[in-house]
Amino acid sequence: DQQVKQNSPSLSVQEGRISILNCDYTNSMFDYFLWYKKYPAEGPTFLISISSIKDKNEDGRFTVFLNKSAKHLSLHIVPSQPGDSAVYFCAASPTGNQFYFGTGTSLTVIP
Amino acid sequence: DTGVSQDPRHKITKRGQNVTFRCDPISEHNRLYWYRQTLGQGPEFLTYFQNEAQLEKSRLLSDRFSAERPKGSFSTLEIQRTEQGDSAMYLCASSLAWDRVDGYTFGSGTRLTVV
C-alpha cells in the first residue's frame, strides 16, 4: 500500500529552466514532509522540509509547495543546473519519526 | 563531524548466514533510524531509537531482524538466517529533533546481496 506516490519516474529539463517534481499522498494524518536528493551509491541527502501548518517553504533555488486539501506536494527548482541531476524522493510522516517515501523521480538537467 | 557512517559498504553473504551492520550517527543526534531500500523503491522504515530505547518497529522487521543501540550511540542491525529477499540497501539515519529544518541525515548505506 503506497501511501506516498511519485507518478513521474523521470523528468528532463533544460539548464536554466524550472524543474517541477510532484508527489501525492493518501494519508490525511501526514503532517511532516521532506524532499531528498540521491546520487548513485550514496545515501539520500536532505533538501527541504515543510510541515502542514505552512503551504510554502523556500530555500535558495528550492521551493516546496503543500496543498493539503489535494494531498499534493511539489518541489520547484529554479534555475535548474546540471548538478541537480539525481533521483528525488518525497517523504511524509504523521509524527516526524517514521517517514513514508515515494518511489522517486529521476531528474536530468540537460546542459 | 563526519556525518552518519555505515559499515560495511557492501556485504555478500550466502543464504542462511547471519550478517550484522553497524551505524555510527552524528555524535549529538539522539535519534537513530534504520530503513531498507530495494531496487526501484523508496526507503522503507524498519525501526527507530531514541537514545538506547527502541521506540518503533515496522512489520517489515521480522523475527530474523534485530536492532540494538546499547549505549545510545552506535547501532547494529543483525539479520539471522538471511534469505534472498533480504537483498537490499540498508540505510541508517540520525536526527536531533524533528523541528530542526535539516530533518534526518542519512548514511551512505550498506548494500547486502544474499546469494
Side-chain angles (χ1 to χ4, degrees):
Chain A
D1 180 22
Q2 194 75 26
Q3 297 192 55
V4 178
K5 297 179 183 178
Q6 292 177 257
N7 292 319
S8 298
S10 63
L11 176 68
S12 291
V13 171
Q14 286 290 136
E15 180 179 4
R17 305 295 290 269
I18 184 171
S19 294
I20 300 176
L21 294 97
N22 293 303
C23 179
D24 296 294
Y25 61 95
T26 58
N27 190 338
S28 59
M29 301 297 289
F30 287 154
D31 279 334
Y32 303 94
F33 304 88
L34 305 174
W35 280 96
Y36 281 87
K37 177 170 72 174
K38 187 179 184 304
Y39 295 115
E42 295 184 12
T45 303
F46 171 81
L47 269 180
I48 193 167
S49 64
I50 191 167
S51 67
S52 59
I53 61 173
K54 292 185 171 183
D55 54 19
K56 176 182 174 182
N57 190 24
E58 194 171 352
D59 183 3
R61 297 185 298 113
F62 302 92
T63 302
V64 57
F65 294 92
L66 175 62
N67 182 333
K68 294 182 287 293
S69 60
K71 297 191 183 68
H72 180 80
L73 194 67
S74 63
L75 175 68
H76 292 208
I77 307 173
V78 183
S80 301
Q81 300 173 354
D84 296 330
S85 297
V87 179
Y88 289 78
F89 291 96
C90 68
S93 173
T95 61
N97 294 323
Q98 175 180 347
F99 276 87
Y100 296 85
F101 282 75
T103 52
T105 296
S106 178
L107 173 66
T108 302
V109 180
I110 303 164
Chain B
D1 180 2
T2 57
V4 178
S5 176
Q6 292 189 246
D7 183 68
R9 290 294 304 273
H10 303 276
K11 178 71 177 178
I12 300 175
T13 190
K14 291 185 178 179
R15 189 173 52 187
Q17 298 294 305
N18 299 345
V19 294
T20 301
F21 310 140
R22 177 180 170 123
C23 172
D24 287 90
I26 292 173
S27 57
E28 66 266 27
H29 285 183
N30 59 354
R31 296 182 181 178
L32 187 148
Y33 311 83
W34 285 99
Y35 281 78
R36 180 178 72 183
Q37 185 173 17
T38 52
L39 199 62
Q41 300 296 315
E44 296 172 292
F45 173 81
L46 292 177
T47 190
Y48 146 60
F49 291 85
Q50 174 136 334
N51 300 314
E52 65 275 7
Q54 189 172 17
L55 297 186
E56 287 185 45
K57 289 169 64 173
S58 162
R59 58 180 172 77
L60 293 176
L61 212 67
S62 75
D63 291 345
R64 297 184 297 105
F65 288 70
S66 62
E68 294 181 343
R69 195 182 182 198
K71 296 182 180 179
S73 56
F74 73 91
S75 175
T76 57
L77 177 68
E78 181 183 16
I79 309 174
Q80 296 183 327
R81 305 181 303 282
T82 52
E83 301 172 357
Q84 287 190 319
D86 298 332
S87 296
M89 175 75 83
Y90 290 84
L91 293 163
C92 176
S94 69
S95 72
L96 185 55
W98 156 252
D99 56 1
R100 289 174 61 89
V101 296
D102 53 1
Y104 291 10
T105 301
F106 277 93
S108 296
T110 293
R111 180 166 295 284
L112 173 66
T113 303
V114 182
V115 297

